[in-house]
Amino acid sequence: MAENILICGVGGQGTVLAAKVLSQAAISSGEHVLSAETIGMAQRGGSVTSHVRIGRNLYSPLIPKGQANMIIAFEAAEAVRNIDYLKKDGMIIVNKKVVQPTTASLTGKTFSEDIMLEYLEKQGKVISVDTEAACKELGSSKVVNMVLLGAACKTGLITREELKAALKLLVKPDFYELNCNAIDYVK
């Protein structure tokens, strides 16, 4: 049976690296993996989605709508925007922090994290993570991706050890320990 994980966020948050780490961890465990990114205007803070499909008999790297076992959202509005991918009773790992879109800033409107989290809780099982507090405690704003992958370990999909082994292959040695600490942040 395939595991379908949609990772979503905005440009610069590390969604692509998170997908690579998750994919590498699965490959190292002997799994077949297909993945793809849609990055659009990511360099300008636009939406980024990565599809990671783990299992046999998969013929496309893109997850069909309604088939994602899990959404890992680096930002609550992106979770809401991509909720159509989640299967019934799927899992949502979500960063509580909302990144206000430029259009909202220009019009004076804001997006409420409470309203979005409440909506998401009606759509599936939710693990919400205060990545702002995590980054402050860890001393780096660049580890949101690994904090969220660490939270995904709570589902049993992947282990922290598998993620750390993948990290060793994918990140510079100077950043390895920091990223491992981020994976361990959510217990």
Side-chain angles (χ1 to χ4, degrees):
M1 187 165 121
E3 289 290 334
N4 295 314
I5 302 102
L6 184 81
I7 301 173
C8 56
V10 296
Q13 290 185 305
T15 56
V16 173
L17 178 59
K20 287 180 181 180
V21 170
L22 184 58
S23 296
Q24 182 61 54
I27 289 167
S28 294
S29 297
E31 298 286 348
H32 291 266
V33 177
L34 294 176
S35 67
E37 285 88 27
T38 54
I39 55 175
M41 294 294 292
Q43 291 181 352
R44 302 205 187 277
S47 295
V48 178
T49 56
S50 295
H51 298 246
V52 178
R53 303 188 76 197
I54 303 169
R56 302 201 182 273
N57 300 319
L58 299 172
Y59 304 103
S60 170
L62 299 178
I63 301 167
K65 290 199 175 182
Q67 296 300 308
N69 303 81
M70 181 184 305
I71 292 176
I72 301 174
F74 286 47
E75 197 271 316
E78 290 299 319
V80 171
R81 194 177 340 272
N82 287 285
I83 201 67
D84 289 347
Y85 284 97
L86 190 67
K87 68 175 16 178
K88 185 177 167 70
D89 297 324
M91 175 63 70
I92 305 162
I93 311 294
V94 63
N95 180 358
K96 288 182 180 182
K97 183 175 171 68
V98 174
V99 176
Q100 298 296 331
T102 305
T103 54
S105 300
L106 294 173
T107 61
K109 295 181 181 176
T110 58
F111 286 59
S112 166
E113 71 185 43
D114 293 334
I115 291 171
M116 284 188 258
L117 291 173
E118 188 178 306
Y119 171 77
L120 292 171
E121 288 170 356
K122 293 176 184 173
Q123 309 307 309
K125 301 170 196 134
V126 175
I127 296 175
S128 62
V129 181
D130 184 350
T131 61
E132 209 162 27
C135 288
K136 186 175 182 180
E137 189 173 321
L138 293 164
S140 174
S141 63
K142 298 186 179 204
V143 293
V144 169
N145 52 2
M146 295 306 127
V147 169
L148 292 171
L149 283 183
C153 291
K154 291 176 74 170
T155 68
L157 171 70
I158 200 131
T159 69
R160 295 177 200 283
E161 292 73 29
E162 291 167 328
L163 290 175
K164 290 175 186 179
L167 267 175
K168 198 166 214 107
L169 298 172
L170 296 170
V171 300
K172 293 178 181 174
D174 295 349
F175 301 109
Y176 178 72
E177 186 177 342
L178 173 63
N179 281 284
C180 287
N181 291 339
I183 287 170
D184 288 336
Y185 183 81
V186 176
K187 302 296 180 205

